[in-house]
Amino acid sequence: MLKIGILKALSDQVTAEYYSAYLYMSMSAYCDQAGFKGFANWLYVQAQEEIAHGTHIFEHILDRGEMPQLGQVNAPPLDFAGPLEVFTKALKHEEYVTSLINKIASLARDENDHATYNFIQWYIEEQVEEEATASLIVQKIKFIGENSAMLYTLDTEMAARTFTDPFANTNTDAADA
């Protein structure tokens, strides 16, 4: 059983993860329409990851015997000034998500909810990776500047990313164990 504050924080995080998916889908659509098919692919894969994160947290709430309190997912922005703005906003968004995850960890620790505290540790590590990756992409785009050949090369590299469900081999149903 979850305390009400932790239930609310986790439920809010489910909504935040689905907003993240919407945001990355919007960014993907923008890049696709601007001719950056590799960036579009990378962002679409990122959206799939965010859906997996939201579902994983949703399942944790259910596993703890609670009903997730799903919130409204707001519409993301639709237009961007180019790949640099897309990935700069992605980095800022990941920093925001990190702050939400850290609040859940602190709350779980303060409430002595060791199961949630342990559960959220995966997300803390994931956010370090998310921020580092987004920051590196921003650095690369800034370095490239107006060099269209280098931007094309980076776009091509980004097309190689594929989705791997990070929870595919995770069994959260104790009855199956």
Side-chain angles (χ1 to χ4, degrees), residues 115-126:
T116 297
Y117 185 76
N118 183 54
F119 172 82
I120 211 69
Q121 295 304 306
W122 185 90
Y123 288 91
I124 291 170
E125 291 180 29
E126 173 73 0

Side-chain angles (χ1 to χ4, degrees), residues 35 39 66 75 89 91 100 111 116 130 141 156 169 172:
F39 290 135
E66 297 294 344
K89 286 186 182 248
L91 174 58
L100 297 176
E111 295 285 344
T116 297
E130 297 284 6
I141 294 172
T156 301
N169 296 323
T172 60

